[in-house]
Amino acid sequence: MVSSSKSQQFTPNSMPPLLVSAGLDMSPAFSPCAPAGSEATKARNPFSRNSVSTFQDAYYHKSSFVSPVVSIAPLARLVACRYDNKVAIWRIKPVHSEDEMLGESAGNAEGWTKLLEMSLKVDTNIDDVALSGDGKSLAVSSEREVKLFRLIQKGDDDLTARRVRGLSTILQLAFPNEETIGASTLAFSPDSKRLIIGVVQGGYISVVHVEEQEEPRLLRTFDQHRQLDLRSRLLQRQQNVRKHVDDMVVDNENDNEESRGLIARINRLAVSPDGQWLASSDLHGRTYIFNLDSLQLHCTLPTMPSPITCMAFDYELSRYLFLAMPDNSVRVFDVESKTFPEWQRTLSQTLSRKLGSQRDEIMGISMLPKDTRPMETNIHGQGKGQGVVVWGANWTCRFRVHPVMTSTGGEKRRREEEEEGAEEEQRAEDEMESEEELGGAAVKEDGKKPSTAQFQLVDRYRNLLGVQFLNAEELVIIERPLLDVLSTLPPAYFKAKYGT
Protein backbone atom coordinates (compact mmCIF):
# COMPACT_ATOMS: atom_id res chain seq x y z
CA MET A 1 0.00 0.00 0.00
CA VAL A 2 1.41 3.37 -1.03
CA SER A 3 0.30 6.63 0.49
CA SER A 4 -0.74 9.25 -2.03
CA SER A 5 1.90 11.74 -3.12
CA LYS A 6 -0.37 13.94 -5.19
CA SER A 7 0.17 17.63 -4.45
CA GLN A 8 2.75 16.62 -1.85
CA GLN A 9 4.74 19.58 -0.52
CA PHE A 10 7.98 18.59 1.18
CA THR A 11 9.67 20.44 4.01
CA PRO A 12 13.22 19.73 5.18
CA ASN A 13 11.94 17.41 7.93
CA SER A 14 8.79 16.04 6.29
CA MET A 15 8.05 12.33 5.98
CA PRO A 16 8.03 10.89 2.44
CA PRO A 17 5.36 8.44 1.29
CA LEU A 18 6.08 4.87 2.36
CA LEU A 19 5.65 1.62 0.48
CA VAL A 20 4.85 -1.29 2.81
CA SER A 21 5.30 -4.83 1.50
CA ALA A 22 5.56 -8.31 3.00
CA GLY A 23 6.87 -11.67 1.80
CA LEU A 24 7.25 -15.31 2.77
CA ASP A 25 9.28 -14.49 5.87
CA MET A 26 6.30 -12.54 7.34
CA SER A 27 8.37 -9.41 8.03
CA PRO A 28 6.91 -6.18 6.60
CA ALA A 29 9.39 -3.96 4.77
CA PHE A 30 9.04 -0.16 4.72
CA SER A 31 10.51 1.67 1.73
CA PRO A 32 10.50 5.48 1.29
CA CYS A 33 9.23 6.33 -2.19
CA ALA A 34 9.45 10.07 -2.63
CA PRO A 35 9.16 11.19 -6.27
CA ALA A 36 12.39 11.90 -8.08
CA GLY A 37 13.42 15.51 -8.33
CA SER A 38 14.87 18.33 -6.31
CA GLU A 39 11.94 18.33 -3.90
CA ALA A 40 12.74 14.77 -2.83
CA THR A 41 15.98 15.87 -1.19
CA LYS A 42 13.96 17.83 1.36
CA ALA A 43 12.14 14.74 2.58
CA ARG A 44 13.65 12.95 5.56
CA ASN A 45 14.27 9.23 5.36
CA PRO A 46 13.06 7.94 8.75
CA PHE A 47 15.07 4.71 8.48
CA SER A 48 18.53 6.07 7.78
CA ARG A 49 20.82 8.99 8.48
CA ASN A 50 21.19 9.28 4.73
CA SER A 51 18.86 11.93 3.35
CA VAL A 52 18.04 9.93 0.21
CA SER A 53 14.33 9.15 0.18
CA THR A 54 13.57 8.17 -3.43
CA PHE A 55 12.37 4.64 -4.06
CA GLN A 56 15.37 3.67 -6.19
CA ASP A 57 18.09 4.73 -3.75
CA ALA A 58 16.56 5.00 -0.28
CA TYR A 59 17.51 2.65 2.51
CA TYR A 60 14.54 0.49 3.51
CA HIS A 61 13.65 -0.93 6.91
CA LYS A 62 12.52 -4.48 7.60
CA SER A 63 10.61 -4.98 10.81
CA SER A 64 11.72 -7.67 13.22
CA PHE A 65 10.18 -11.11 12.90
CA VAL A 66 10.71 -12.15 16.53
CA SER A 67 8.58 -11.90 19.66
CA PRO A 68 9.17 -13.01 23.27
CA VAL A 69 8.62 -16.78 23.16
CA VAL A 70 10.98 -18.02 25.89
CA SER A 71 10.80 -18.48 29.64
CA ILE A 72 13.88 -18.76 31.84
CA ALA A 73 14.25 -20.45 35.24
CA PRO A 74 17.32 -18.73 36.73
CA LEU A 75 17.82 -21.05 39.71
CA ALA A 76 17.67 -24.20 37.59
CA ARG A 77 19.44 -22.57 34.59
CA LEU A 78 16.68 -23.81 32.27
CA VAL A 79 15.31 -22.13 29.14
CA ALA A 80 11.94 -23.11 27.64
CA CYS A 81 10.94 -22.05 24.13
CA ARG A 82 7.49 -22.40 22.63
CA TYR A 83 6.72 -23.18 19.01
CA ASP A 84 3.37 -23.51 17.26
CA ASN A 85 2.57 -26.86 18.86
CA LYS A 86 5.66 -27.96 20.77
CA VAL A 87 7.93 -26.89 23.63
CA ALA A 88 11.68 -27.39 23.96
CA ILE A 89 13.83 -27.03 27.09
CA TRP A 90 17.58 -26.41 27.31
CA ARG A 91 19.96 -26.29 30.23
CA ILE A 92 22.64 -23.59 30.37
CA LYS A 93 25.85 -25.06 31.69
CA PRO A 94 27.73 -23.22 34.45
CA VAL A 95 30.53 -20.90 33.35
CA HIS A 96 33.89 -21.91 34.78
CA SER A 97 36.65 -20.22 32.78
CA GLU A 98 37.30 -16.54 32.18
CA ASP A 99 37.09 -17.10 28.41
CA GLU A 100 33.59 -18.49 28.80
CA MET A 101 32.65 -15.55 31.00
CA LEU A 102 33.76 -13.19 28.23
CA GLY A 103 31.55 -15.03 25.77
CA GLU A 104 34.34 -16.49 23.62
CA SER A 105 32.59 -19.84 23.62
CA ALA A 106 29.26 -18.35 22.61
CA GLY A 107 27.64 -20.46 19.94
CA ASN A 108 29.56 -23.53 21.04
CA ALA A 109 27.26 -26.47 21.67
CA GLU A 110 29.13 -27.14 24.91
CA GLY A 111 27.56 -24.04 26.46
CA TRP A 112 24.08 -25.53 26.62
CA THR A 113 22.34 -28.88 26.35
CA LYS A 114 18.91 -29.69 24.96
CA LEU A 115 17.07 -31.75 27.56
CA LEU A 116 13.54 -32.12 26.30
CA GLU A 117 11.31 -31.51 23.31
CA MET A 118 7.65 -32.47 23.43
CA SER A 119 4.83 -32.04 20.94
CA LEU A 120 1.45 -31.17 22.41
CA LYS A 121 -2.04 -31.93 21.19
CA VAL A 122 -3.55 -28.46 20.93
CA ASP A 123 -6.39 -27.16 18.79
CA THR A 124 -4.72 -23.77 18.38
CA ASN A 125 -1.19 -22.43 18.52
CA ILE A 126 0.55 -22.24 21.88
CA ASP A 127 0.06 -18.76 23.35
CA ASP A 128 2.46 -18.76 26.28
CA VAL A 129 4.88 -20.89 28.27
CA ALA A 130 6.18 -20.37 31.81
CA LEU A 131 8.87 -22.08 33.86
CA SER A 132 8.85 -21.95 37.63
CA GLY A 133 11.90 -20.36 39.24
CA ASP A 134 13.14 -23.68 40.61
CA GLY A 135 12.68 -25.38 37.23
CA LYS A 136 10.36 -28.08 38.60
CA SER A 137 7.13 -26.95 36.93
CA LEU A 138 6.18 -25.99 33.39
CA ALA A 139 2.91 -24.36 32.32
CA VAL A 140 1.78 -24.18 28.70
CA SER A 141 -1.34 -22.44 27.42
CA SER A 142 -3.34 -22.18 24.23
CA GLU A 143 -6.63 -20.47 23.45
CA ARG A 144 -8.56 -23.45 24.76
CA GLU A 145 -6.46 -25.18 27.41
CA VAL A 146 -3.88 -24.71 30.15
CA LYS A 147 -1.52 -27.60 30.84
CA LEU A 148 0.73 -28.04 33.87
CA PHE A 149 3.72 -30.39 33.90
CA ARG A 150 6.09 -31.55 36.63
CA LEU A 151 9.67 -31.65 35.39
CA ILE A 152 11.60 -34.62 36.74
CA GLN A 153 15.38 -34.61 36.54
CA LYS A 154 16.79 -38.12 36.18
CA GLY A 155 20.31 -37.17 35.19
CA ASP A 156 22.45 -34.29 34.06
CA ASP A 157 21.09 -34.50 30.52
CA ASP A 158 17.80 -36.32 31.12
CA LEU A 159 14.56 -34.45 31.83
CA THR A 160 11.04 -35.84 31.70
CA ALA A 161 7.67 -34.11 32.01
CA ARG A 162 4.62 -35.51 33.80
CA ARG A 163 1.19 -33.96 33.19
CA VAL A 164 -0.77 -32.69 36.20
CA ARG A 165 -4.35 -33.19 35.12
CA GLY A 166 -5.94 -31.72 38.22
CA LEU A 167 -5.42 -28.17 36.92
CA SER A 168 -7.88 -28.59 34.05
CA THR A 169 -10.47 -29.96 36.45
CA ILE A 170 -10.39 -27.08 38.91
CA LEU A 171 -10.45 -24.51 36.10
CA GLN A 172 -13.49 -26.17 34.57
CA LEU A 173 -15.23 -26.13 37.96
CA ALA A 174 -14.35 -22.46 38.42
CA PHE A 175 -15.83 -21.50 35.04
CA PRO A 176 -18.73 -23.92 34.47
CA ASN A 177 -20.25 -21.75 31.74
CA GLU A 178 -17.17 -21.99 29.56
CA GLU A 179 -16.64 -24.97 27.28
CA THR A 180 -12.88 -24.43 27.14
CA ILE A 181 -10.48 -22.58 29.46
CA GLY A 182 -7.39 -21.13 27.80
CA ALA A 183 -4.84 -18.54 28.86
CA SER A 184 -3.26 -15.60 27.09
CA THR A 185 -0.43 -15.21 29.61
CA LEU A 186 1.07 -17.18 32.49
CA ALA A 187 3.39 -16.43 35.42
CA PHE A 188 4.77 -18.29 38.43
CA SER A 189 5.39 -16.69 41.81
CA PRO A 190 9.07 -16.48 42.84
CA ASP A 191 8.65 -19.33 45.34
CA SER A 192 7.21 -21.52 42.54
CA LYS A 193 4.15 -22.34 44.67
CA ARG A 194 1.57 -20.29 42.76
CA LEU A 195 0.60 -20.14 39.12
CA ILE A 196 -1.13 -17.00 37.85
CA ILE A 197 -3.33 -17.52 34.80
CA GLY A 198 -4.70 -14.78 32.55
CA VAL A 199 -7.82 -16.55 31.30
CA VAL A 200 -8.75 -15.85 27.68
CA GLN A 201 -12.45 -16.54 28.16
CA GLY A 202 -13.88 -13.60 30.09
CA GLY A 203 -10.73 -11.73 31.09
CA TYR A 204 -10.32 -13.39 34.51
CA ILE A 205 -7.11 -13.77 36.51
CA SER A 206 -6.87 -17.01 38.47
CA VAL A 207 -4.33 -17.70 41.22
CA VAL A 208 -3.71 -21.44 41.63
CA HIS A 209 -1.68 -23.18 44.32
CA VAL A 210 0.61 -25.64 42.51
CA GLU A 211 3.13 -26.68 45.16
CA GLU A 212 4.96 -29.90 44.46
CA GLN A 213 3.57 -33.08 46.00
CA GLU A 214 0.14 -31.43 46.35
CA GLU A 215 -2.89 -31.31 44.11
CA PRO A 216 -3.58 -27.92 42.49
CA ARG A 217 -6.25 -25.82 44.15
CA LEU A 218 -7.78 -22.50 43.18
CA LEU A 219 -7.01 -19.72 45.66
CA ARG A 220 -8.75 -16.73 44.11
CA THR A 221 -10.14 -15.43 40.83
CA PHE A 222 -10.03 -11.70 40.05
CA ASP A 223 -12.55 -10.16 37.66
CA GLN A 224 -11.37 -6.54 37.55
CA HIS A 225 -10.50 -6.76 33.86
CA ARG A 226 -14.13 -7.59 33.11
CA GLN A 227 -15.41 -4.37 34.58
CA LEU A 228 -16.18 -1.53 32.21
CA ASP A 229 -14.13 1.58 32.82
CA LEU A 230 -14.81 4.98 31.26
CA ARG A 231 -13.13 4.06 27.97
CA SER A 232 -15.02 0.77 27.74
CA ARG A 233 -18.33 2.52 28.43
CA LEU A 234 -17.61 4.98 25.64
CA LEU A 235 -16.75 2.12 23.30
CA GLN A 236 -19.92 0.34 24.31
CA ARG A 237 -22.02 3.42 23.64
CA GLN A 238 -20.38 3.80 20.24
CA GLN A 239 -21.21 0.20 19.40
CA ASN A 240 -24.78 0.69 20.54
CA VAL A 241 -25.08 3.85 18.49
CA ARG A 242 -23.83 2.07 15.38
CA LYS A 243 -26.13 -0.85 16.06
CA HIS A 244 -29.20 1.37 16.52
CA VAL A 245 -28.24 4.20 14.23
CA ASP A 246 -31.83 4.75 13.06
CA ASP A 247 -33.33 5.60 16.43
CA MET A 248 -30.04 6.39 18.29
CA VAL A 249 -30.96 4.10 21.16
CA VAL A 250 -28.22 3.77 23.77
CA ASP A 251 -28.77 1.32 26.59
CA ASN A 252 -26.94 2.61 29.67
CA GLU A 253 -28.36 -0.01 31.99
CA ASN A 254 -26.02 -2.72 30.74
CA ASP A 255 -22.76 -0.96 31.64
CA ASN A 256 -21.94 -3.51 34.33
CA GLU A 257 -23.08 -6.54 32.35
CA GLU A 258 -20.69 -8.78 30.47
CA SER A 259 -19.91 -7.52 26.97
CA ARG A 260 -17.58 -9.94 25.26
CA GLY A 261 -16.67 -7.45 22.60
CA LEU A 262 -15.31 -5.07 25.23
CA ILE A 263 -13.61 -7.46 27.64
CA ALA A 264 -9.94 -6.87 26.96
CA ARG A 265 -7.40 -9.64 26.60
CA ILE A 266 -4.88 -9.81 29.44
CA ASN A 267 -1.50 -9.40 27.80
CA ARG A 268 1.03 -8.96 30.64
CA LEU A 269 1.58 -10.33 34.16
CA ALA A 270 4.37 -9.49 36.60
CA VAL A 271 5.07 -10.72 40.14
CA SER A 272 7.33 -8.89 42.59
CA PRO A 273 10.50 -10.69 43.73
CA ASP A 274 9.18 -10.98 47.30
CA GLY A 275 5.96 -12.53 46.03
CA GLN A 276 3.72 -9.88 47.56
CA TRP A 277 2.51 -7.96 44.51
CA LEU A 278 0.92 -9.04 41.25
CA ALA A 279 0.53 -6.61 38.35
CA SER A 280 -1.74 -7.35 35.39
CA SER A 281 -2.38 -5.36 32.23
CA ASP A 282 -4.78 -5.74 29.31
CA LEU A 283 -5.08 -4.53 25.74
CA HIS A 284 -7.28 -1.60 26.83
CA GLY A 285 -4.30 -0.09 28.66
CA ARG A 286 -5.68 -0.90 32.12
CA THR A 287 -3.31 -2.08 34.88
CA TYR A 288 -4.24 -3.47 38.29
CA ILE A 289 -2.09 -4.26 41.32
CA PHE A 290 -3.10 -7.16 43.58
CA ASN A 291 -1.78 -8.21 46.98
CA LEU A 292 -0.95 -11.91 46.78
CA ASP A 293 -0.70 -12.23 50.57
CA SER A 294 -4.27 -11.09 51.20
CA LEU A 295 -5.51 -11.98 47.67
CA GLN A 296 -7.18 -8.59 47.36
CA LEU A 297 -7.09 -5.75 44.86
CA HIS A 298 -4.56 -3.17 46.04
CA CYS A 299 -4.91 -0.32 43.55
CA THR A 300 -5.68 0.62 39.97
CA LEU A 301 -3.27 2.55 37.75
CA PRO A 302 -4.44 5.31 35.43
CA THR A 303 -5.57 3.92 32.09
CA MET A 304 -2.79 4.25 29.52
CA PRO A 305 -3.48 5.46 25.97
CA SER A 306 -1.89 2.27 24.58
CA PRO A 307 -1.38 -1.27 25.89
CA ILE A 308 1.74 -1.78 27.99
CA THR A 309 4.40 -3.75 26.13
CA CYS A 310 6.10 -5.18 29.24
CA MET A 311 6.54 -4.57 32.97
CA ALA A 312 8.72 -5.74 35.84
CA PHE A 313 9.18 -5.09 39.55
CA ASP A 314 12.35 -3.67 41.07
CA TYR A 315 14.50 -6.38 42.65
CA GLU A 316 15.91 -4.15 45.35
CA LEU A 317 12.71 -2.30 46.23
CA SER A 318 9.67 -4.35 45.27
CA ARG A 319 7.39 -1.37 45.73
CA TYR A 320 8.45 0.03 42.31
CA LEU A 321 6.87 -1.27 39.11
CA PHE A 322 8.54 -0.45 35.78
CA LEU A 323 6.15 -0.04 32.82
CA ALA A 324 7.24 0.13 29.17
CA MET A 325 5.05 1.84 26.56
CA PRO A 326 4.88 1.29 22.78
CA ASP A 327 6.71 4.61 22.20
CA ASN A 328 9.70 3.20 24.17
CA SER A 329 9.08 5.39 27.19
CA VAL A 330 9.43 3.84 30.66
CA ARG A 331 7.46 4.89 33.70
CA VAL A 332 7.85 3.81 37.33
CA PHE A 333 4.86 3.33 39.64
CA ASP A 334 5.15 3.29 43.43
CA VAL A 335 2.83 0.51 44.58
CA GLU A 336 2.84 1.56 48.23
CA SER A 337 2.05 5.22 47.72
CA LYS A 338 -0.14 4.40 44.68
CA THR A 339 1.41 7.20 42.64
CA PHE A 340 3.99 7.85 39.96
CA PRO A 341 6.82 9.39 42.03
CA GLU A 342 8.30 12.70 41.00
CA TRP A 343 11.81 11.30 40.57
CA GLN A 344 10.74 8.92 37.78
CA ARG A 345 10.05 11.83 35.41
CA THR A 346 13.76 12.41 34.88
CA LEU A 347 14.26 8.72 34.13
CA SER A 348 11.32 8.66 31.70
CA GLN A 349 12.50 11.76 29.85
CA THR A 350 16.07 10.47 29.56
CA LEU A 351 14.99 7.07 28.28
CA SER A 352 12.62 8.66 25.78
CA ARG A 353 15.53 10.62 24.32
CA LYS A 354 17.78 7.57 24.23
CA LEU A 355 15.28 5.03 22.93
CA GLY A 356 12.85 7.19 21.00
CA SER A 357 14.87 6.77 17.81
CA GLN A 358 14.75 2.97 18.02
CA ARG A 359 12.19 1.56 15.60
CA ASP A 360 11.77 -1.69 17.57
CA GLU A 361 9.64 -1.34 20.68
CA ILE A 362 10.70 -2.51 24.12
CA MET A 363 10.00 -6.23 24.42
CA GLY A 364 11.27 -6.91 27.93
CA ILE A 365 12.72 -5.52 31.16
CA SER A 366 15.26 -7.47 33.20
CA MET A 367 16.37 -6.50 36.70
CA LEU A 368 19.82 -7.18 38.11
CA PRO A 369 19.33 -9.51 41.12
CA LYS A 370 20.33 -8.03 44.43
CA ASP A 371 21.28 -11.12 46.45
CA THR A 372 24.94 -11.20 45.36
CA ARG A 373 25.28 -7.80 43.73
CA PRO A 374 28.06 -5.63 45.22
CA MET A 375 26.81 -2.42 46.79
CA GLU A 376 28.32 0.97 47.42
CA THR A 377 27.18 4.23 48.95
CA ASN A 378 27.36 7.71 47.50
CA ILE A 379 27.74 11.06 49.20
CA HIS A 380 24.02 11.13 49.97
CA GLY A 381 24.06 7.81 51.79
CA GLN A 382 22.08 5.98 49.10
CA GLY A 383 22.92 2.54 47.70
CA LYS A 384 23.95 1.99 44.13
CA GLY A 385 20.35 1.45 43.11
CA GLN A 386 18.77 -1.01 40.72
CA GLY A 387 20.55 -2.19 37.59
CA VAL A 388 18.10 -2.45 34.68
CA VAL A 389 18.29 -3.87 31.16
CA VAL A 390 15.54 -2.99 28.70
CA TRP A 391 15.66 -4.66 25.31
CA GLY A 392 14.02 -4.75 21.94
CA ALA A 393 14.30 -7.08 18.98
CA ASN A 394 17.66 -5.66 17.85
CA TRP A 395 19.06 -3.68 20.78
CA THR A 396 19.68 -3.68 24.52
CA CYS A 397 19.99 -0.69 26.85
CA ARG A 398 21.60 -0.85 30.29
CA PHE A 399 21.36 1.76 33.03
CA ARG A 400 20.95 2.18 36.78
CA VAL A 401 18.14 3.74 38.79
CA HIS A 402 18.32 5.56 42.12
CA PRO A 403 14.82 5.72 43.62
CA VAL A 404 14.16 8.51 46.14
CA MET A 405 12.38 7.01 49.11
CA THR A 406 9.23 8.80 50.22
CA SER A 407 7.06 8.28 53.26
CA THR A 408 3.79 6.53 52.49
CA GLY A 409 2.15 6.74 55.93
CA GLY A 410 2.04 2.96 56.13
CA GLU A 411 4.94 0.61 55.45
CA LYS A 412 4.32 -2.77 53.84
CA ARG A 413 5.49 -5.92 55.45
CA ARG A 414 9.22 -6.40 55.03
CA ARG A 415 10.44 -9.95 54.82
CA GLU A 416 13.60 -10.60 56.76
CA GLU A 417 14.04 -6.88 57.21
CA GLU A 418 16.72 -7.01 59.86
CA GLU A 419 18.81 -9.64 58.05
CA GLU A 420 18.61 -7.83 54.70
CA GLY A 421 19.47 -4.49 56.29
CA ALA A 422 22.54 -5.93 57.97
CA GLU A 423 23.71 -7.64 54.76
CA GLU A 424 23.29 -4.47 52.68
CA GLU A 425 25.17 -2.41 55.27
CA GLN A 426 28.05 -4.88 55.26
CA ARG A 427 28.18 -4.97 51.46
CA ALA A 428 28.15 -1.20 51.38
CA GLU A 429 31.19 -1.04 53.65
CA ASP A 430 33.06 -3.75 51.71
CA GLU A 431 32.38 -2.42 48.21
CA MET A 432 32.60 1.36 48.59
CA GLU A 433 35.43 1.49 46.07
CA SER A 434 33.61 -0.44 43.34
CA GLU A 435 32.76 1.61 40.29
CA GLU A 436 32.50 -1.00 37.57
CA GLU A 437 28.77 -1.75 37.30
CA LEU A 438 26.26 -2.58 34.62
CA GLY A 439 25.48 0.44 32.49
CA GLY A 440 27.21 2.90 34.81
CA ALA A 441 26.06 4.29 38.12
CA ALA A 442 23.24 6.73 38.63
CA VAL A 443 24.11 10.21 39.80
CA LYS A 444 22.25 12.67 41.98
CA GLU A 445 21.68 16.29 41.16
CA ASP A 446 21.46 18.55 44.20
CA GLY A 447 20.52 15.51 46.24
CA LYS A 448 16.93 15.65 44.97
CA LYS A 449 16.29 14.54 41.42
CA PRO A 450 17.93 11.30 40.28
CA SER A 451 19.22 11.06 36.76
CA THR A 452 20.96 8.20 35.02
CA ALA A 453 24.42 8.48 33.58
CA GLN A 454 26.38 6.34 31.14
CA PHE A 455 23.43 4.73 29.42
CA GLN A 456 24.80 1.90 27.34
CA LEU A 457 22.88 1.15 24.15
CA VAL A 458 24.13 -1.98 22.35
CA ASP A 459 22.99 -3.26 18.96
CA ARG A 460 25.48 -6.12 18.72
CA TYR A 461 22.80 -8.75 19.33
CA ARG A 462 20.01 -9.05 16.76
CA ASN A 463 16.64 -10.79 16.52
CA LEU A 464 16.38 -11.31 20.26
CA LEU A 465 13.92 -13.76 21.80
CA GLY A 466 14.76 -13.16 25.44
CA VAL A 467 17.12 -11.38 27.81
CA GLN A 468 17.30 -12.21 31.52
CA PHE A 469 19.76 -12.37 34.40
CA LEU A 470 20.57 -15.78 35.84
CA ASN A 471 22.31 -14.10 38.76
CA ALA A 472 24.29 -10.97 39.47
CA GLU A 473 27.19 -12.19 37.31
CA GLU A 474 25.46 -13.83 34.32
CA LEU A 475 23.09 -12.42 31.72
CA VAL A 476 21.43 -14.71 29.16
CA ILE A 477 20.72 -13.29 25.68
CA ILE A 478 18.84 -15.53 23.26
CA GLU A 479 19.00 -14.79 19.54
CA ARG A 480 17.09 -16.21 16.58
CA PRO A 481 19.10 -15.31 13.46
CA LEU A 482 17.12 -14.81 10.29
CA LEU A 483 19.32 -17.27 8.40
CA ASP A 484 18.33 -20.00 10.85
CA VAL A 485 14.67 -19.32 10.12
CA LEU A 486 15.22 -19.32 6.37
CA SER A 487 17.02 -22.65 6.55
CA THR A 488 13.78 -24.28 7.72
CA LEU A 489 11.82 -23.15 4.63
CA PRO A 490 11.02 -25.66 1.85
CA PRO A 491 13.53 -26.15 -1.00
CA ALA A 492 11.37 -24.16 -3.40
CA TYR A 493 12.26 -21.01 -1.50
CA PHE A 494 15.92 -21.30 -2.52
CA LYS A 495 15.28 -21.81 -6.24
CA ALA A 496 15.86 -18.96 -8.63
CA LYS A 497 12.41 -19.60 -10.08
CA TYR A 498 9.43 -21.29 -8.60
CA GLY A 499 8.55 -24.26 -10.76
CA THR A 500 5.73 -26.73 -10.81
Side-chain angles (χ1 to χ4, degrees), residues 68-372:
V69 295
V70 300
S71 178
I72 300 177
L75 297 179
R77 306 180 70 88
L78 296 180
V79 176
C81 180
R82 63 177 171 90
Y83 300 85
D84 291 342
N85 59 355
K86 67 179 181 179
V87 176
I89 299 178
W90 290 265
R91 179 185 300 282
I92 302 174
K93 295 184 177 180
V95 177
H96 300 292
S97 68
E98 183 178 354
D99 291 341
E100 292 177 335
M101 181 68 72
L102 294 176
E104 294 183 5
S105 63
N108 192 328
E110 295 180 354
W112 54 84
T113 303
K114 192 172 187 177
L115 303 180
L116 177 66
E117 180 175 318
M118 55 181 181
S119 298
L120 304 176
K121 293 182 180 180
V122 290
D123 296 332
T124 62
N125 290 346
I126 296 175
D127 283 346
D128 199 12
V129 61
L131 274 172
S132 61
D134 58 8
K136 296 181 179 180
S137 298
L138 171 71
V140 183
S141 68
S142 65
E143 292 286 323
R144 299 185 177 183
E145 191 176 9
V146 180
K147 297 182 179 182
L148 177 65
F149 299 89
R150 300 295 187 195
L151 300 180
I152 303 173
Q153 183 77 30
K154 294 184 178 181
D156 293 339
D157 298 331
D158 187 9
L159 187 69
T160 59
R162 178 174 59 84
R163 173 86 180 272
V164 181
R165 300 189 179 277
L167 178 62
S168 301
T169 302
I170 64 172
L171 289 178
Q172 195 63 52
L173 293 175
F175 307 102
N177 296 328
E178 303 291 346
E179 295 182 359
T180 58
I181 308 298
S184 57
T185 181
L186 303 166
F188 279 96
S189 61
D191 59 5
S192 305
K193 296 180 180 180
R194 296 182 180 184
L195 173 64
I196 296 91
I197 303 172
V199 180
V200 173
Q201 294 79 5
Y204 294 99
I205 296 178
S206 295
V207 181
V208 184
H209 181 83
V210 292
E211 189 171 2
E212 195 176 7
Q213 307 299 333
E214 296 183 16
E215 287 297 320
R217 67 178 187 273
L218 183 65
L219 300 179
R220 179 67 188 273
T221 295
F222 299 107
D223 62 353
Q224 277 72 19
H225 287 277
R226 295 170 53 85
Q227 300 174 4
L228 299 182
D229 58 0
L230 178 59
R231 175 186 294 180
S232 299
R233 291 189 177 95
L234 292 175
L235 291 173
Q236 186 184 52
R237 291 189 177 96
Q238 292 175 4
Q239 289 184 358
N240 290 334
V241 168
R242 289 193 296 267
K243 186 181 298 183
H244 309 285
V245 65
D246 293 335
D247 52 0
M248 296 298 291
V249 175
V250 179
D251 185 7
N252 294 327
E253 297 180 357
N254 296 327
D255 279 355
N256 295 324
E257 296 181 0
E258 178 179 352
S259 177
R260 289 187 177 272
L262 294 175
I263 295 177
R265 184 186 182 96
I266 300 170
N267 66 327
R268 293 292 181 267
L269 293 173
V271 184
S272 62
D274 60 4
Q276 183 173 6
W277 306 113
L278 165 67
S280 64
S281 180
D282 61 30
L283 294 181
H284 284 177
R286 299 175 299 183
T287 304
Y288 298 95
I289 306 295
F290 303 94
N291 190 315
L292 288 180
D293 291 335
S294 61
L295 294 176
Q296 299 291 332
L297 174 67
H298 178 70
C299 65
T300 303
L301 274 67
T303 302
M304 302 298 175
S306 302
I308 293 173
T309 58
C310 59
M311 55 186 177
F313 281 92
D314 191 317
Y315 255 107
E316 187 173 355
L317 298 171
S318 295
R319 61 187 289 177
Y320 293 118
L321 174 66
F322 287 71
L323 307 166
M325 307 301 169
D327 61 354
N328 283 353
S329 62
V330 176
R331 304 188 66 181
V332 183
F333 183 77
D334 190 338
V335 175
E336 291 190 11
S337 65
K338 303 179 182 181
T339 60
F340 289 96
E342 186 67 24
W343 60 263
Q344 63 93 33
R345 291 189 179 183
T346 303
L347 171 67
S348 181
Q349 294 172 358
T350 306
L351 278 177
S352 296
R353 291 194 300 267
K354 296 288 184 180
L355 304 179
S357 60
Q358 298 297 320
R359 292 178 291 276
D360 298 316
E361 68 179 19
I362 297 175
M363 297 171 57
I365 303 176
S366 183
M367 300 290 179
L368 183 66
K370 71 173 184 177
D371 52 348
T372 59

Side-chain angles (χ1 to χ4, degrees), residues 1 19-30 62:
M1 180 176 62
L19 172 67
V20 183
S21 60
L24 292 178
D25 57 3
M26 302 177 64
S27 297
F30 301 83
K62 201 168 188 178

